[in-house]
Amino acid sequence: MVKNTTSLTFYGGVNEIGGNKILLKDGDTKVFFDFGMSFTMKKQFYSPPFLSPKSENSLQELEILPKIKGIYKSDPNPPEVGAVFLSHGHLDHSAHLSFIKREIPVYCGETTQIILQALSEIRRADLEFDVADLDFRSFRTGKKITVDSLEIEPFHVDHSVPGAYGFIVHTSNGAVVYTGDFRDHGAKPEMTRDFVEKAKDAKPVAIVTEATNMTDASVSCEAEVEDKLNRIVTRTDGIVLAGFSNSDVDRLNSFYHIAKKNQRCLAVSLKQAYLLDALRKDKGLRIPCLDDDAMLIFRKSKKRFDMWESQLIEQYSPQNKIFDVFETSKQQCKVILAMAYYDFEELVSLQPTAGSSYILSSSEPFNEEMEIDHERLTNWLSHYGVPQYHVHVSGHMMPLQLKATLKEINAERTFPIHTEHAELFAKFMRDLKSQVTHVEKCREYLL
Ligand SMILES: [Zn+2]
Ligand SMILES: [Zn+2]
């Protein structure tokens, strides 16, 4: 019997952070791991909302979306891919699912499905993020999924969004490990440990690893972040403004604990409130309840609310949970207000008092859900005399820990992705037994 050949092709996540699109072929079986949006590629051509892509065709023309037969909705050919597996719900791993044929099953963690569906309900219809009618099939750690000749085992990892997974894929030519995005200094390092143990036991022929943090690495952990936040909030006389990613539940938890400790309330946006409500379905998550005395919901000033916003406002108004900018302004020393940069127009009515502070606490220099415009953000804060703190802990593994992890897993070959520093990575790892491949986009690597 002729043995199947197994190969990896990287259509995204090459020399860039995010945009992961990894095709694994095993004989006639084809499976994608992640199908994310490339912020880097998109930024080369577009600056929303003034210049946004109008169609899938434009994205393919500019090669922001790779030209691959038999996977896109618009392609009349039958599907050529058996499944897409999502490592987690960050848009740089998931957003281009919008274009995938609806008959191709999309496997993801239960939490990821909740996040993606909630995000799609609260975002306006968007060419690049539309999960409607996708054939989602959810899993939890320990489940084994068979797609023709492949057996895929998802294992939970710790990352800056809940419901993140790495994968061990049993192919005709041995096990292939994909880390997704992971770290060992978050709130649940034991999850990453479980994954590493399983990956090691599989004696993999190849590992596809994220290598985000090769420069500017900082040593910290979620516990230290909470301590630093406390030191800032304790000394702040006015309002504390907090910028963090909507789906970063660990960070939301830290702000919630610190608010409570300092007799303040955490006022979250309607979007965060909606997501929190949705995530309560996931009993495995430890998240604050909106009914809690230390939680408020901030209602932006606008004339018309979407249906989901009106429903939330109606549901929580009787408990005096909904605060507008004027109510918030009167109680600045009692509030930590979660505020994204694109909500800064509210500052005009809020008028932060002397002694207020702003804490940017997004996981990465660019947030994995949106880009932050630092220069304009600083201009706004300067105008109101609000100093800016950056309390940071990365969602990604630090270099020395990554090296120790890869040494332990001991795959025959290593493919670094999700990094702008693949060459540095290869040199740093040169004393490992594993052969490091400097990945080229769209090239097929036989295993
Ligand atoms: Zn990522
Ligand atoms: Zn991520």
Side-chain angles (χ1 to χ4, degrees), residues 17-20 88 90 92-93 159 181 212 366 368 396 418:
I17 296 174
N20 287 16
H88 61 290
H90 278 149
D92 62 323
H93 295 254
H159 182 42
D181 287 355
T212 316
F366 81 95
E368 289 175 272
H396 305 274
H418 203 282

Side-chain angles (χ1 to χ4, degrees), residues 211-232:
T212 316
N213 281 325
M214 282 295 124
T215 59
D216 296 323
S218 63
V219 179
S220 191
C221 60
E222 282 294 334
E224 190 185 20
V225 162
E226 205 164 301
D227 181 52
K228 285 179 180 171
L229 293 180
N230 189 43
R231 279 191 261 166
I232 301 165

